[in-house]
Amino acid sequence: MRFKKNDKLVMIGDSITDCGRNRPVGEGIGDPYGKGYVSLVDGLLKTVYPELAIRVVNMGTSGNTVRDLAERWQKDVLDLKPDWLSVMIGTNDVWRQFDQPYIPESHVYPEEYEATLDELVAKTKMRVKGIVLMTPFYLEPNRSDPMRATMDRYGEIVKRVAERHGTVFVDTQAAFDEVLAHIYPAALAWDRVHPSMAGHATLARAFLQAVGFVWQ
Amino acid sequence: MRFKKNDKLVMIGDSITDCGRNRPVGEGIGDPYGKGYVSLVDGLLKTVYPELAIRVVNMGTSGNTVRDLAERWQKDVLDLKPDWLSVMIGTNDVWRQFDQPYIPESHVYPEEYEATLDELVAKTKMRVKGIVLMTPFYLEPNRSDPMRATMDRYGEIVKRVAERHGTVFVDTQAAFDEVLAHIYPAALAWDRVHPSMAGHATLARAFLQAVGFVWQ
Amino acid sequence: MRFKKNDKLVMIGDSITDCGRNRPVGEGIGDPYGKGYVSLVDGLLKTVYPELAIRVVNMGTSGNTVRDLAERWQKDVLDLKPDWLSVMIGTNDVWRQFDQPYIPESHVYPEEYEATLDELVAKTKMRVKGIVLMTPFYLEPNRSDPMRATMDRYGEIVKRVAERHGTVFVDTQAAFDEVLAHIYPAALAWDRVHPSMAGHATLARAFLQAVGFVWQ
Amino acid sequence: MRFKKNDKLVMIGDSITDCGRNRPVGEGIGDPYGKGYVSLVDGLLKTVYPELAIRVVNMGTSGNTVRDLAERWQKDVLDLKPDWLSVMIGTNDVWRQFDQPYIPESHVYPEEYEATLDELVAKTKMRVKGIVLMTPFYLEPNRSDPMRATMDRYGEIVKRVAERHGTVFVDTQAAFDEVLAHIYPAALAWDRVHPSMAGHATLARAFLQAVGFVWQ
Amino acid sequence: MRFKKNDKLVMIGDSITDCGRNRPVGEGIGDPYGKGYVSLVDGLLKTVYPELAIRVVNMGTSGNTVRDLAERWQKDVLDLKPDWLSVMIGTNDVWRQFDQPYIPESHVYPEEYEATLDELVAKTKMRVKGIVLMTPFYLEPNRSDPMRATMDRYGEIVKRVAERHGTVFVDTQAAFDEVLAHIYPAALAWDRVHPSMAGHATLARAFLQAVGFVWQ
Amino acid sequence: MRFKKNDKLVMIGDSITDCGRNRPVGEGIGDPYGKGYVSLVDGLLKTVYPELAIRVVNMGTSGNTVRDLAERWQKDVLDLKPDWLSVMIGTNDVWRQFDQPYIPESHVYPEEYEATLDELVAKTKMRVKGIVLMTPFYLEPNRSDPMRATMDRYGEIVKRVAERHGTVFVDTQAAFDEVLAHIYPAALAWDRVHPSMAGHATLARAFLQAVGFVWQ
Amino acid sequence: MRFKKNDKLVMIGDSITDCGRNRPVGEGIGDPYGKGYVSLVDGLLKTVYPELAIRVVNMGTSGNTVRDLAERWQKDVLDLKPDWLSVMIGTNDVWRQFDQPYIPESHVYPEEYEATLDELVAKTKMRVKGIVLMTPFYLEPNRSDPMRATMDRYGEIVKRVAERHGTVFVDTQAAFDEVLAHIYPAALAWDRVHPSMAGHATLARAFLQAVGFVWQ
Amino acid sequence: MRFKKNDKLVMIGDSITDCGRNRPVGEGIGDPYGKGYVSLVDGLLKTVYPELAIRVVNMGTSGNTVRDLAERWQKDVLDLKPDWLSVMIGTNDVWRQFDQPYIPESHVYPEEYEATLDELVAKTKMRVKGIVLMTPFYLEPNRSDPMRATMDRYGEIVKRVAERHGTVFVDTQAAFDEVLAHIYPAALAWDRVHPSMAGHATLARAFLQAVGFVWQ
């Protein structure tokens, strides 16, 4: 298990991370982690490793692309002084190219995506104990679907950045593909993007396995 | 793993099971399983065993005691023809004795509790592949607290009924006690009864381990 | 133009037809035809053929399958004494097989679909001036996608029923396929089922062309 | 067809254009074009000419007069760099003279109306491929009604400005007069100003015919 | 002044009378008479003739035609045992012919209107001290407008019934025509049917003058 | 009749004047004059003198004392350039002494009341055609009730200021006293301060009689 | 102290008792006793005599007169099997005579009031340990005010009934008169009927002193 | 009785004091003191000592710790110029250590608590007639419960500060302990922190007894 006692884990991303978290900072009273995989990660850590007292903070923001992350990185990541950081971004970078094809200023193309993500990791890695990079995903089993193919390309970028900087890497698309072999996308997400609790369980499990979590 | 392909699992209980499930039957479109442990059980089964196609149905109803379960048993359990059934009941049977001490007609005392639960299991066990009996719990680490002590007594009844009928047994209180050794109740539940997502993760894990679920 | 002065056109279907129509009968004050293709059909008829005084009635009901249509046929079609009738049904008959795979009682398979639709047309065609049968559709360009393939099979059933009874036939899937050659599904419908206004314009145009509407 | 591949069409006006569009800019996710003729124009363009990828932007604002357009012209028209621009304004310029006769500062009289509209067109026409000027209208068939007579006068001003600058001209009043020959105003608009979907279909058709749209 | 001490005055009609009155009976606590002319009649009677203690009851119901009045006459008029009764009905009888021209079953044509109104007056006049019949009206100054012309015809029917039975008669259209000579309809009512407070003041004054009310 | 063609009448006061008027200026679309006596004054002027085209503006603000009027006088009276001005203030100046006896900073005592009102009238009277000063009132028939006695004293101040400056004077308390001779306060106002429509009719009539309005 | 261990005290009345109590029975979870004197009585009993475990039930219903109590007496009093019963009724019996003077069927005059109250007490007194009769009250210090004078007469009736049957008697009007000697009614109740918390404290204290409660 | 005629009593604290008070200052119209013990204190003072005219002001703010009080002390205490001041603070200072154990910046530890409270009292005591210091409390009867033990330690600090400065001291925990000897916490407060009305009655009584209030 990579996390140590009292580690602070900041998880950043888009709406799939956000899920209605507390604002301005995603921790504290009520339902602070929202209703997605961050809440499951926190719950399973508290259940299985209560003695570790891991402090989870959800900093996802709906609609964000990597361009938006860069703008709020100082305030929403560095200022919070995390021990561990997870990043899952790219869905909107790709989606806008397909659901708003006529509005190019809303698209983030691969070059910008890779350069920005790389820069964020580069300037952060020396200030934390570890980083977990998670790929974006698309709940479409047909790999030749244009949006799926594009999303896969962004996932490869995440893998490349992870390898370049030696971070933990989580292939969420691969995790989902195992499920999609048995379950049609419409049963997992109305828009193939925002998963039901079953999809969030898939994300939480993929994340936890990557950091050495042992269920039993 | 005890569940087999296409098994139908009905989970019944009180508000801790309910959590805002679909009505009249807790399955189908939207967020059908509510926001508690049933949703986590379904999500983890879909994630790890997608090929099994387990059909989960949440039939919890807020405020219910075992007396209420008995009244709706035919319609909400037997008519649904489950392969597996889980029951977690007793919280309100005990709680009313402590938060409404002056209203004795709202209390369900141990004799009635045991007799009713026993009868429900007896008339159901031959019609299903298996039953999982889960104890009620109270998020109070002090075992000499009067309500905790009472809840423990009801938990023992559940254990006795489980043994008598050879059902699967889940000691949720024991699962929580491990967490409570490290985390104060106020961080898990505002009223020591309705847990946060972390508590629901504890319940889901206890349930899944009892039915042979393997995380990896 | 097939419609004559004072003809009454009843349009029945599921949520794609319904779109928030007036209840119990989809005509009258306010926004009686809802926000979908029925409203466009009515508006274009009033704009281009105001002298015909066509009376449009929207009888779509969200969530309906052909099984539901059969149940309300007497009250919602025959009792209204239409001159013309349009039917677009089948989306939910197919969709439930994919988004609720574990709930087979919610599925309507091809045999039941064809038999029911055929019977409805058979008992109605002598009581009206004409019937327009519209195929269901799925906004998925990949014809080997399982749900698209199934939907195509239901579209073929509609065509067969139309030919058998000599009704007007509208291939909505073909109309959408022309658009999907240029526009990715995510830009037309969040769930590949419920179209934006652009999709409703496609439906209205396909319907109107089939009944001899001349735009200029 | 006057529009070419990837043209950006900005449509500006008052509440009849606005109809609940996205803000601050009327494009993007959800129901960005509102529920009026702009949405129909976009939908029919996407249906019949999907290969052209026309980018429609709705910049109507409820309650606006030409005086208000002038104030926001830089930000809401020029800064958006349209290829094509449509303008339909004047309803409120006239209406306030009749529904608030005692508040003269809310009235925009013909001189100001013509001068302002002319200036806006003059400073824009060299920066776009084309402009479409649409008259305001009043759903009152009696041409000697004082408000109808005044509205007609403003329509003539629009025509004059269109001719002076060589823009496309759409006589919406003439389009409505054909419908009003058969349908009483109360069946088209509760206040003779804000049309039902049938009236918006009339507007969309008049606009599209003027720009060379071919339905078939 | 025709009303005597402790007289009970029931005022029945459609939405112009209703205006949000108390239900089921339009008197009592709160704002029992709604926000229209009935409230003004009551207020002016209390102000100028407080010693008379007239009991006003508003029994208007939005959307009613004379056909609807006949259905509820026993319960909403006769059972209340009024001393005086006022009736203003006909707006919807006419309006539906113009705003829902295609739905003839919603129209009440002159023959039915006259027969029904006559029968209601006939069976009531011996049971009350007096009846006040008020014409319906349309806030359209152009008498050759089709709906205005029709409304005038219904007003003549009211006059005929009043004369036949010797009731008090109030020509509300004539009262409004004096105002419309100076004020355009849009400043009095957005739909030419439901007046602003100024229109309700016109109605209240016309009614009060007919029953001998003296302002000073 | 003191008002002449096109006169602008601004009516200022507290909640009894306000009654939910439009903001920031109490005229224009919708229900601009609120639901009190200002609306009745406007309605009766439009009904009886439509040819005069009087422009009424309601500038009442709930909770105001004369101290508050002084603060907003420039913006809410002088800047609006009225021809006629009515002022009814003092209720809250007195009421706070009785419903918040322990909060003296909320009280406006007679000296401040008289000095402030006098100064406002003095600096305004040369800029308008006329001013109408209306007394505050209290719907308590017992003149020795402490709050009624105090309110009477403020009414005398209004009378003194009116006489000193030669304005029109309206004794609203006297007008109500005639009604209170027959009707108990609870039937006119739940708090003896905010009248029902009957009370507003009393106010409107008292105002209109003072400015020479003739009902017939 | 008259109440003994485990006594059940039912308190019935009108809106002053009701104050938003639980329904159908005013006890149990949440805020079961509403926000008035019943809640204070319960709270002070629990504070000072926690060992007595008095079960308080609030059965007040807004708007009730003694006529309404008689109708629901079996279900809302006798069926609940109280040990002690308190009754405070009469406000609406009197108030309707003053706020709805024209609706005599809503008035309950002294004869009916006394006869009904007497009969209710007579048929109940043998089935309970004790009854507390509380007078209605009116927060008007002027005893010659007509409604106060009437209310005093009803208070005398309550006293007479209490003496006739030997019940505990609470003169709430006398308790308020001591407060009204120092505080003007407007500071205690906006309508002289529904008191602020200070008024409810007066009621609770008067009740508790009558049953022998000792504060220290 | 320590309070004298016209004394102004400011009561400051956290959510237990706040209870929905008026803002920005907790006095005046409506329900200014909220629904907790401050309202009871005010009500009982008005009931028993109406001649004293004590002015109560509730300045509690939900969520506050002593650190928050220090920040708003000038504006919310000193600027209000109280004669008497009560302070009950510390619940959140302790609670955050238990319900948000991982967020240490939200905790206020004993040293800071004592220093801050002491400083606030020191700089205020010479400017008022008297100060009442109330301990925080926790509705947990088990004194070895970690949060209860901590709360007791903060209560001792309050006692020490009170003795050091010679203020009135109220041991609210002791008052509650008498009740908790008979009533289980779940019947008094869902979270053992925010009491029901019964708990607020306990607080009000403890406060009033400490200032010499005599009930009879």
Side-chain angles (χ1 to χ4, degrees), chain E residues 11-187:
Chain E
M11 306 188 83
I12 200 163
D14 52 33
S15 62
I16 301 164
T17 302
D18 184 329
C19 287
R21 66 164 173 99
N22 274 10
R23 277 180 158 76
V25 179
E27 64 178 346
I29 56 172
D31 198 7
Y33 307 117
K35 303 186 183 314
Y37 74 92
V38 179
S39 176
L40 295 185
V41 164
D42 175 78
L44 287 164
L45 285 173
K46 285 211 178 91
T47 295
V48 179
Y49 297 90
E51 72 283 4
L52 286 189
I54 305 301
R55 178 177 181 178
V56 175
V57 184
N58 180 349
M59 295 306 289
T61 297
S62 291
N64 268 205
T65 60
V66 76
R67 198 186 287 162
D68 299 306
L69 288 199
E71 274 186 35
R72 61 187 181 93
W73 197 258
Q74 180 66 41
K75 175 147 160 286
D76 284 2
V77 174
L78 300 180
D79 288 358
L80 297 177
K81 301 188 191 306
D83 296 297
W84 278 85
L85 172 71
S86 81
V87 185
M88 182 167 72
I89 199 71
T91 301
N92 295 304
D93 308 63
V94 172
W95 203 6
R96 289 300 89 75
Q97 301 173 39
F98 290 88
D99 71 351
Q100 300 187 358
Y102 309 155
I103 310 184
E105 59 269 37
S106 69
H107 308 167
V108 177
Y109 297 112
E111 298 67 28
E112 178 182 358
Y113 179 76
E114 181 159 3
T116 309
L117 185 61
D118 192 278
E119 182 190 329
L120 295 176
V121 172
K123 77 173 166 196
T124 310
K125 68 181 174 183
M126 302 311 293
R127 307 167 69 164
V128 296
K129 293 183 183 173
I131 294 178
V132 181
L133 291 185
M134 305 170 75
T135 68
F137 60 86
Y138 189 46
L139 295 177
E140 167 60 69
N142 173 20
R143 287 165 200 234
S144 60
D145 174 277
M147 183 162 151
R148 167 68 197 261
T150 306
M151 198 69 81
D152 284 346
R153 191 172 163 203
Y154 282 65
E156 285 154 19
I157 291 171
V158 174
K159 190 175 185 189
R160 209 147 58 220
V161 174
E163 289 172 352
R164 197 177 301 141
H165 294 284
T167 78
V168 179
F169 172 68
V170 179
D171 189 340
T172 66
Q173 185 71 62
F176 275 120
D177 283 347
E178 288 178 33
V179 178
L180 287 167
H182 300 279
I183 303 182
Y184 188 77

Side-chain angles (χ1 to χ4, degrees), chain C residues 102-154:
Chain C
Y102 309 155
I103 310 184
E105 60 269 37
S106 69
H107 307 168
V108 177
Y109 296 111
E111 298 67 28
E112 178 183 357
Y113 178 77
E114 181 159 4
T116 308
L117 185 61
D118 193 279
E119 182 190 328
L120 294 176
V121 172
K123 77 172 166 195
T124 309
K125 68 180 174 184
M126 303 310 294
R127 309 167 68 163
V128 298
K129 294 183 182 173
I131 294 178
V132 182
L133 291 185
M134 306 170 74
T135 68
F137 60 87
Y138 189 45
L139 296 177
E140 166 60 70
N142 173 20
R143 288 167 199 232
S144 60
D145 174 278
M147 184 163 150
R148 168 68 197 260
T150 307
M151 199 68 80
D152 283 348
R153 191 171 162 203
Y154 282 64

